[in-house]
Every structure is written in structure tokens, then in C-alpha cells.
Amino acid sequence: MTKNLEDELNLPHLDDLLKLEKDARDAEELERIQEVETELDELRHVDLETANSFETALTRAQRLEQELADHAGLRQHDAEMDEIAKEAIESYHEFKDLAINCTPAHAGKIAETAVNMLRVSLDAKNAKADKKLRTWRLKLDQAKLIRDLEKDEGPQEGTIDSEDAIRIDRNRLLQQIQDTLSQDNEFDKKELENNK
């Protein structure tokens, strides 16, 4: 019914519009990549050492991204969330078409159900992004911990190393806990701002 209506009103088909939107996003992403490569080339001419350290960091980030992509649970979660989002969008379109073509007495409830399908789709996409962000954060925390352990070869002030445990004084332990909590709060605030 919708396709015929689109033809009658000389409107473009939804599939064509979605393809154009995807092509536009892909073009924007390619343009961003080219801008970064141009900036990196300019940086090479100005400061070779900084450019090399940037390339090393970029290589590590790409390797980390590949490791995360290879993680079976993350891939499975991504596929499941994509499937849920796709089915929810399809259901939304079906409910929307049904609401348009039914009596006004029933259209409100059907339209409400259609909106709920959009909410399900959005929640699935957000869950996918949240899972990736949490996995990235854990990997970065692990890398930071390894770097700190490599940097701190000997025992620090206030600690006593033994074979089985590290003892630390109470004040230093409380300070580390406060630092960790403040970092978690900052991450949660940024995550909330990004979700709005």
C-alpha cells in the first residue's frame, strides 16, 4: 500500500532514500579519513618525531580495534543487536502503515506501538555502542595497568613487596579508590552526555 502511495504522489521510495543516506555517511567518513591523512602528512614535514609517535599510537589503536572485533562475544552481541534493531524498524513501518490505513479510534494505540518499536531499535543500537565502549575501556585500563607496572620496577614509598601480595598503607589505598571512583564518575557523565 505504501509503495503505491509513493508512486501516486511521485515521492521517492524509502529504500532509495536510505541508500542515499548511507552513501552520504560513507562519503563523510572517507572525507574525515582523508583529512586525518593530510594532517599527518603535514605533521611529518614539521615534526617527524611527533608524527612517528602518532603513527605508533594509531597502529596500536587499530590493533586494539581488531582484537575487539575478533572477540567472539562482541561480534555475536553486535549481530544480535543489529538484528533486533532491524526487526524493530520493520515492525515500526508495518505498524505505521497499519495506523495510517485504519480507523481513527484504533490508530492511536497502533501508532503508540509503532513508536515503541522505534524505542526498541534505539535501545538496541545504544546497547551495542555501550558494550563496545565498556570493552574499550577495560582494554585501555588493562594497557594502562601494564604500562604502570612496567614503569614502576621497584616498590613505591609506602608499599612492601612480597612474593604473594603487595601491602600498601591505608591513606594511599583510600586515595587510589577515590581516584578510580572519580574517573568512573567522569566516564559516566561523558557517556550520559553522548547518549543525549
Side-chain angles (χ1 to χ4, degrees), residues 67-85 124 127-129 131-132 135:
E67 288 176 13
L68 290 175
D70 290 343
H71 192 284
L74 189 60
R75 255 187 286 129
Q76 181 181 0
H77 183 264
D78 284 353
E80 290 171 353
M81 291 300 108
D82 286 339
E83 183 178 339
I84 289 171
K128 178 180 170 181
K131 177 87 171 185
K132 283 184 179 180
T135 306

Side-chain angles (χ1 to χ4, degrees), residues 134-171:
R134 289 184 189 274
T135 306
W136 271 88
R137 183 164 185 219
L138 287 173
K139 284 285 193 180
L140 290 173
D141 287 346
Q142 178 187 16
K144 180 182 177 197
L145 181 63
I146 290 170
R147 187 193 70 209
D148 289 346
L149 288 174
E150 289 173 353
K151 188 171 98 175
D152 300 333
E153 294 174 1
Q156 297 178 352
E157 181 180 322
T159 64
I160 301 172
D161 286 336
S162 69
E163 292 181 15
D164 297 330
I166 296 177
R167 297 182 187 183
I168 189 167
D169 68 300
R170 180 182 60 89
N171 293 337

Side-chain angles (χ1 to χ4, degrees), residues 86-145:
K86 180 183 174 191
E87 289 180 12
I89 291 292
E90 289 172 1
S91 297
Y92 161 75
H93 289 296
E94 291 172 7
F95 281 121
K96 182 183 76 165
D97 291 343
L98 183 61
I100 290 171
N101 296 321
C102 75
T103 62
H106 301 316
K109 185 67 175 168
I110 295 172
E112 182 181 340
T113 305
V115 169
N116 286 337
M117 290 297 111
L118 281 179
R119 188 174 296 118
V120 167
S121 175
L122 180 65
D123 290 345
K125 291 292 186 179
N126 285 340
K128 178 180 170 181
D130 186 51
K131 177 87 171 185
K132 283 184 179 180
L133 287 174
R134 289 184 189 274
T135 306
W136 271 88
R137 183 164 185 219
L138 287 173
K139 284 285 193 180
L140 290 173
D141 287 346
Q142 178 187 16
K144 180 182 177 197
L145 181 63

Side-chain angles (χ1 to χ4, degrees), residues 27-44:
E28 287 176 11
E29 185 66 26
L30 182 61
E31 185 177 317
R32 281 190 218 126
I33 290 171
Q34 289 173 347
E35 287 175 5
V36 169
E37 289 176 353
T38 304
E39 289 176 9
L40 185 59
D41 288 339
E42 291 173 1
L43 185 60
R44 278 190 189 116

Side-chain angles (χ1 to χ4, degrees), residues 5-24:
L5 191 60
E6 290 170 343
D7 292 336
E8 287 295 320
L9 297 174
N10 291 326
L11 296 173
H13 290 277
L14 180 62
D15 296 335
D16 297 337
L17 290 175
L18 291 175
K19 185 177 183 301
L20 287 173
E21 182 181 345
K22 182 182 181 302
D23 292 343

Side-chain angles (χ1 to χ4, degrees), residues 57-69:
L58 186 61
T59 304
R60 286 181 184 166
Q62 288 171 343
R63 188 175 67 237
L64 181 62
E65 185 176 358
Q66 184 62 36
E67 288 176 13
L68 290 175

